[in-house]
């Protein structure tokens, strides 16, 4: 990893109990680097920490904001280890990485393990992680802070977005709550 791409990093593990529940590959990764944010907010890998809540894997898996309760496509056993700048979630299910398209609530396997996922993300982050909205936001003078995601209006999944979207940094939990509600509305 190029250190110029690193936006945020935590080294101290404060949630040892959670760490022991994880599959070996994720456990090894978190022992090496306890989560980080890369590419100005383009990829956030959560850590085995108790706080801050926005960085805590426990908080979104087993804690007060469990993603499997917000998105029906997720199971309680799915490990939401990371997310992109828009709030799409990366899930570890049976040692394979899946991507939850948060606007639609649809889950699809990326058919790769965690190591391959990280290698592909580092290889070509713009294409693999679809960072074009983040690049636009940055060109317009925006700066995504740790704990924030990009709010897109109108949502990309709507016809209206073809005429352009506005981008704004919002707190992570606000964005994910909006996405879960939006996905629920369009699928009912």
């Amino acid at each position: 990893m190029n250190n110029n791409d690193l936006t945020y990093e935590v080294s101290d593990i404060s949630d040892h109990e959670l760490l022991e529940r994880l599959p070996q590959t994720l456990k090894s990764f978190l022992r090496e680097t306890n989560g980080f944010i890369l590419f100005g907010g383009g990829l956030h890998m959560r850590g085995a920490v108790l706080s801050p809540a926005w960085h805590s894997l426990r908080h979104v898996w087993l804690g007060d904001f469990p993603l499997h309760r917000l998105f029906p496509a997720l199971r309680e056993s799915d490990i939401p280890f990371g997310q992109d700048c828009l709030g799409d979630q990366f899930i570890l299910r049976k040692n394979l990485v899946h991507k939850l398209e948060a606007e639609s609530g649809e889950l699809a396997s990326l058919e790769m393990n965690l190591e391959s996922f990280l290698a592909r993300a580092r290889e070509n982050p713009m294409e693999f992680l679809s960072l074009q909205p983040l690049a636009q936001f940055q060109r317009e003078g925006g700066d995504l802070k740790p704990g924030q995601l990009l709010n897109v209006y109108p949502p990309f999944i709507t016809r209206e977005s073809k005429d352009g979207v506005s981008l704004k940094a919002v707190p992570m939990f606000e964005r994910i709550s909006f996405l879960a509600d939006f996905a629920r509305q369009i699928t009912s």
Side-chain angles (χ1 to χ4, degrees):
M1 163 177 50
N2 179 344
N3 282 339
N4 293 335
D5 296 332
L6 187 65
T7 307
Y8 177 85
E9 183 177 34
V10 172
S11 56
D12 294 336
I13 294 171
S14 59
D15 194 345
H16 296 280
E17 179 187 330
L18 177 84
L19 190 67
E20 293 311 311
R21 294 183 68 167
L22 299 174
Q24 190 57 48
T25 50
L26 186 53
K27 188 185 304 188
S28 296
F29 168 77
L30 292 177
R31 282 188 174 138
E32 183 181 315
T33 176
N34 193 18
F36 51 72
I37 297 175
L38 292 178
F39 318 120
L43 176 62
H44 175 206
M45 299 287 291
R46 295 182 175 99
V49 298
L50 298 171
S51 66
W54 61 264
H55 187 61
S56 170
L57 176 54
R58 174 182 295 278
H59 195 68
V60 296
W61 182 28
L62 308 167
D64 296 335
F65 197 80
L67 296 180
H68 69 273
R69 289 200 183 135
L70 297 173
F71 295 95
L74 298 181
R75 303 175 188 157
E76 189 172 352
S77 58
D78 291 337
I79 304 169
F81 68 87
Q83 64 189 356
D84 68 14
C85 60
L86 299 173
D88 291 336
Q89 301 297 311
F90 299 110
I91 308 297
L92 201 57
R93 179 185 280 181
K94 296 183 180 177
N95 290 318
L96 285 179
V97 176
H98 292 67
K99 182 177 182 180
L100 175 75
E101 297 283 345
E103 282 188 1
S104 67
E106 294 177 1
L107 184 70
S109 175
L110 297 182
E111 300 181 6
M112 61 182 70
N113 62 22
L114 183 61
E115 295 86 2
S116 298
F117 168 80
L118 289 169
R120 290 278 309 277
R122 289 177 180 138
E123 229 170 67
N124 190 351
M126 187 63 68
E127 293 305 313
F128 184 68
L129 298 171
S130 302
L131 297 183
Q132 295 83 359
L134 180 59
Q136 175 186 335
F137 179 70
Q138 291 169 336
R139 279 192 308 273
E140 294 169 355
D143 182 30
L144 205 55
K145 305 272 189 254
Q148 293 182 325
L149 294 173
L150 282 180
N151 188 57
V152 178
Y153 189 82
F156 284 126
I157 203 169
T158 66
R159 278 190 303 266
E160 294 81 7
S161 70
K162 74 177 183 333
D163 296 328
V165 298
S166 65
L167 301 168
K168 179 173 94 170
V170 297
M172 181 191 96
F173 296 117
E174 178 183 316
R175 172 72 176 158
I176 293 173
S177 294
F178 167 81
L179 290 167
D181 186 52
F182 182 77
R184 207 172 13 260
Q185 288 178 43
I186 66 169
T187 58
S188 358

